[in-house]
């Protein structure tokens, strides 16, 4: 019988001590995707906390804004705009409807289709939510000046448009 030996793992490089105040993830700082995600988490969590006072999630706020901009929008189009599956859009719309913020209205040409509209209560709340979101953005990005904030918006638009 031949004896098989297990491969010896390569020796790990010696750990380089980092200063105590150095972030544990600093080796990823130069990756755009990582920096975007960290910034997005900070801004998103700030907005989540502000919308919590209204018992809403960011996707619901976004849906209200999209519906306002596109009255009569179909559910499938809303799902595409939110980058979610159509069944998730149905659940989201059911919540908005149950709260009296949006309504589905049957379309005359195609009786199977429904257009989505904001209710008066939805319009009123959305005006308030837009102010809350704008203030949340300012607070979450307080380290930036107005010019830097505008430059960041323009650069991000270049990335995703």
């Amino acid at each position: 019988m031949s004896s098989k030996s297990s491969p010896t793992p390569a020796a790990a490089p010696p750990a380089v001590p980092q200063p105590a105040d150095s972030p544990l993830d600093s080796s990823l700082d130069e990756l755009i995707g990582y920096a975007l995600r960290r910034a997005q988490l900070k801004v998103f969590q700030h907005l989540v906390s502000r919308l919590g006072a209204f018992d809403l999630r960011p996707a619901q706020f976004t849906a209200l804004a999209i519906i306002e901009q596109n009255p009569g929008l179909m559910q499938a189009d809303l799902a595409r705009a939110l980058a979610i599956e159509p069944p998730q859009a149905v659940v989201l719309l059911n919540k908005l409807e149950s709260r009296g913020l949006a309504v589905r209205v049957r379309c005359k040409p195609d009786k199977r289709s429904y257009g989505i509209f904001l209710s008066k209560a939805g319009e009123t709340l959305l005006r308030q939510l837009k102010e809350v979101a704008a203030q949340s953005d300012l607070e979450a990005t307080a380290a930036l000046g107005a010019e830097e904030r505008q430059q960041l918006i323009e650069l991000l638009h270049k990335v995703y448009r």
Side-chain angles (χ1 to χ4, degrees), residues 43-64 99 101 125-137 139:
V43 173
F44 187 79
Q45 289 304 322
H46 199 277
L47 181 60
V48 165
S49 70
R50 297 305 181 269
L51 292 177
F54 299 89
D55 193 28
L56 285 173
R57 302 279 305 152
Q60 295 164 322
F61 164 64
T62 304
L64 290 171
R99 294 200 44 201
L101 301 174
L125 180 61
L126 182 59
R127 275 192 295 279
Q128 186 179 4
L129 293 174
K130 284 180 175 180
E131 291 175 21
V132 167
Q135 187 60 40
S136 176
D137 257 15
E139 292 168 5

Side-chain angles (χ1 to χ4, degrees), residues 144-157:
L144 301 176
E147 192 174 304
E148 290 173 315
R149 192 174 286 107
Q150 185 56 42
Q151 183 181 18
L152 178 59
I153 287 283
E154 290 169 8
L155 290 171
L156 291 172
H157 287 174

